[in-house]
Amino acid sequence: MEDSAPPVSTPPSKPATGAKATIERFSAAVHRYTELFFEKLTTIVVYHPAVTIGLVFLFVVIMAQGVWFYKEELSPDKQFSPRSSQAVKDEDWVLDRFGYENRPVQTMFEAKEGVNMLTKESLLFMMEMHEWLLSQWKIIDGKNVTYEVVCARYTKGDDCKIPVSVLTFWGHNRTRLEADADPLATINTVSWRSLEPSGPPLDFYLGKPEYNAAGDVVSARATLISYNFKNEKVEISGVGKDDPQSRYFEIMIAEDSASRRSQDLAKHGIGAYIATLGQHAEAGGEALHSDVNNLIIGYILMLIYASFILSRSRPKYSHSLLGIVSVISVGLSTFSAYGFCWYIGIKFNTVVQVLILVLLGVGVDDTFVIMDSWWDCAHIESMRERMIAAVKHAGPAVTITSVTDLIAFLAGSSSSLPALQDFCYYASVGIAFDFMFQVTFVVAVAYLDTVRQQQSRADVLCCIKVGDHTGVCLGSDEEKARWTEAERGLQNR
């Protein structure tokens, strides 16, 4: 039999020297002191879990008071134009000295195929809608708001600015229109510029006009009436600057005109559509509400997912309740981040509302890391010592991921886009709070959950005592002894 070849000895690696050695020593020191920090912190938490939970909720309540300083940036220009840009400075200068422009409101009319908007019947329907708009009213903040209240005026005390449309040929007066035997001839013979010397041409108020060989207009598929509403914006708590009277009056007339549209189409073959700034703002608000509903659905799905990952077939050894607590912790950190940022004057915007989705991924992952380390420490009998060891070993990993995310968002806060910059501020604060809650609040609840397990109580329904196997209640010693040591070795996984 041939002799086997002697084993090849591997020469020992040379110790690192110079800069590499310095980096390794620094890394080891950071890791060692991070573990020491978490060991001491977790010792305090597991010996005083109720106090820890109470202090966290007190902190959240204090941060919640930031809602009194809540401000929202509504202007798209202010959200996506650099604050230091000359355009923003010029806009602020103009608004400070001349105020806001009037709010344009346009009532547009579109006829069915084959219906001419320039016939007397169609023009009388336009007049009917014009008179309907002038007659509308709405109670806003206890005041009766009518067209006379919201219409724009050249100077205070003047009459309302006269709307402009094809009805300008008759001064928007029904009697004059009804007395005109041939409105189309009036449109083609009276000079538009004599009526509107500085405004847009007549074609601006006609949709898809058709002309004869002589250049006279003979028909139009659509028309519009252009109004001007006042835009006296005031500071509204929690909203920013807006003119509530004009805004809500605009929303009302747009909704009411939409509700009568099908009837008008059936009767006259014409539909009226009102476009307003308030209507656009309302549509944006509805979109935000829809997004919030989606966020709630996502939050619930994450609750289910976290509970499922931490659950086990044996209720005694399951930790699905801890998964729910982890997701709740993310909600608390998100709300605290909002409050803190409101305290220091950072405005809320449409981008910031998705913050909770970012924190859900970071926060719940931290809980998984901590619990995985806890399962690896199954050889430690004392639940307190086991939790301390688990967090001590998981702490550096949790810290690295949180600090990495924090640095990334702090870097993102250098963006010149205000909406993105403010989002990064909120996210940075949220990640810091989420990290703080994970290593205190969640660890405290996790320790109490292990106490529940030690007392042979079911997950979630902790008032019910259970055995080592699903559905088997604690019974005689012989019954408890059925489970072998091999089985018990799997119970903690």
Side-chain angles (χ1 to χ4, degrees):
M1 183 176 181
E2 296 182 358
D3 296 335
S4 59
V8 178
S9 60
T10 304
S13 59
K14 294 181 179 181
T17 58
K20 183 177 180 181
T22 303
I23 293 174
E24 288 182 354
R25 286 196 299 270
F26 176 77
S27 178
V30 170
H31 190 274
R32 182 171 64 254
Y33 284 112
T34 303
E35 286 191 333
L36 181 61
F37 167 78
F38 280 105
E39 182 179 9
K40 292 184 176 181
L41 175 64
T42 309
T43 300
I44 297 173
V45 171
V46 298
Y47 276 92
H48 308 283
V51 174
T52 301
I53 295 171
L55 288 175
V56 168
F57 277 107
L58 177 61
F59 178 83
V60 173
V61 171
I62 293 173
M63 290 297 102
Q65 303 312 305
V67 71
W68 300 108
F69 303 92
Y70 171 83
K71 288 185 178 180
E72 182 178 359
E73 184 57 77
L74 298 175
S75 170
D77 293 338
K78 292 292 181 67
Q79 290 188 46
F80 299 103
S81 297
R83 293 187 177 100
S84 59
S85 67
Q86 190 61 43
V88 172
K89 294 178 181 178
D90 291 344
E91 180 185 10
D92 292 339
W93 186 90
V94 170
L95 293 178
D96 180 61
R97 287 157 178 79
F98 301 101
Y100 294 87
E101 294 182 2
N102 296 329
R103 302 167 71 103
V105 176
Q106 294 182 332
T107 303
M108 294 163 285
F109 301 87
E110 184 176 34
K112 289 182 177 179
E113 192 71 36
V115 177
N116 184 0
M117 282 301 305
L118 299 182
T119 63
K120 189 171 185 175
E121 292 75 14
S122 298
L123 293 172
L124 284 171
F125 173 72
M126 285 183 62
M127 189 69 73
E128 177 186 331
M129 285 298 299
H130 169 65
E131 293 170 344
W132 169 85
L133 188 150
L134 299 188
S135 67
Q136 296 304 294
W137 59 274
K138 183 177 179 64
I139 302 296
I140 301 174
D141 294 332
K143 297 179 179 179
N144 185 24
V145 178
T146 64
Y147 174 78
E148 289 291 326
V149 173
V150 299
C151 70
R153 305 172 191 271
Y154 290 105
T155 59
K156 190 173 182 179
D158 281 354
D159 293 334
C160 294
K161 285 187 177 180
I162 300 174
V164 183
S165 71
V166 67
L167 297 179
T168 300
F169 286 103
W170 301 275
H172 291 83
N173 183 286
R174 173 182 287 274
T175 302
R176 290 174 59 184
L177 176 59
E178 289 178 337
D180 192 333
D182 191 353
L184 191 57
T186 301
I187 294 173
N188 286 304
T189 55
V190 177
S191 170
W192 174 256
R193 280 304 174 199
S194 67
L195 303 173
E196 285 293 321
S198 60
L202 176 61
D203 288 356
F204 177 81
Y205 301 95
L206 303 178
K208 294 186 177 180
E210 295 181 359
Y211 300 87
N212 59 20
D216 294 335
V217 61
V218 294
S219 69
R221 180 71 183 276
T223 60
L224 69 84
I225 304 176
S226 179
Y227 300 88
N228 282 286
F229 283 10
K230 70 182 180 68
N231 198 16
E232 299 172 358
K233 293 189 176 184
V234 295
E235 189 69 33
I236 301 175
S237 177
V239 174
K241 289 186 175 181
D242 195 12
D243 187 325
Q245 291 183 337
S246 294
R247 177 180 179 179
Y248 293 118
F249 189 86
E250 290 169 0
I251 293 172
M252 178 198 68
I253 60 176
E255 291 177 348
D256 289 353
S257 67
S259 65
R260 57 173 290 174
R261 188 174 301 139
S262 59
Q263 180 181 352
D264 292 337
L265 282 167
K267 183 177 180 180
H268 304 282
I270 304 171
Y273 306 81
I274 297 181
T276 70
L277 292 179
Q279 188 182 17
H280 294 164
E282 186 75 2
E286 291 176 357
L288 288 179
H289 286 306
S290 176
D291 287 346
V292 170
N293 292 336
N294 292 335
L295 290 177
I296 293 173
I297 294 173
Y299 194 82
I300 294 173
L301 291 176
M302 182 59 78
L303 279 172
I304 297 172
Y305 172 75
S307 299
F308 175 76
I309 292 297
L310 294 177
S311 65
R312 295 294 180 269
S313 60
R314 301 174 177 86
K316 175 180 174 179
Y317 298 98
S318 180
H319 299 279
S320 57
L321 179 61
L322 185 60
I324 296 175
V325 170
S326 176
V327 178
I328 292 174
S329 174
V330 172
L332 295 177
S333 63
T334 304
F335 192 57
S336 298
Y338 287 162
F340 180 83
C341 290
W342 295 335
Y343 266 126
I344 62 178
I346 302 177
K347 291 185 178 181
F348 189 84
N349 62 60
T350 54
V351 181
V352 174
Q353 67 178 359
V354 301
L355 174 63
I356 193 170
L357 297 180
V358 176
L359 297 185
L360 275 173
V362 176
V364 176
D365 180 68
D366 289 343
T367 301
F368 292 163
V369 172
I370 292 172
M371 289 307 297
D372 188 67
S373 179
W374 185 82
W375 281 316
D376 287 340
C377 295
H379 59 282
I380 302 176
E381 294 185 2
S382 169
M383 290 300 180
R384 276 200 177 101
E385 295 303 320
R386 182 176 176 181
M387 184 58 67
I388 292 171
V391 179
K392 174 184 177 181
H393 294 306
V398 171
T399 303
I400 288 172
T401 56
S402 297
V403 171
T404 301
D405 294 330
L406 180 62
I407 292 174
F409 281 109
L410 286 176
S413 65
S414 63
S415 170
S416 60
L417 298 179
L420 181 58
Q421 184 183 64
D422 290 345
F423 171 77
C424 289
Y425 286 143
Y426 276 89
S428 300
V429 176
I431 287 172
F433 285 167
D434 179 72
F435 170 75
M436 182 176 71
F437 290 174
Q438 288 291 325
V439 298
T440 54
F441 174 68
V442 174
V443 169
V445 175
Y447 168 69
L448 294 177
D449 198 45
T450 62
V451 173
R452 182 269 312 163
Q453 175 183 324
Q454 197 174 35
Q455 295 175 353
S456 298
R457 297 184 181 276
D459 183 24
V460 182
L461 301 175
C462 55
C463 58
I464 301 176
K465 282 201 168 187
V466 293
D468 288 335
H469 191 274
T470 304
V472 178
C473 296
L474 290 176
S476 63
D477 292 339
E478 292 78 7
E479 189 178 35
K480 298 175 187 176
R482 291 178 184 175
W483 312 106
T484 64
E485 290 301 318
E487 284 180 307
R488 295 185 183 278
L490 296 175
Q491 290 171 349
N492 288 330
R493 300 303 299 169

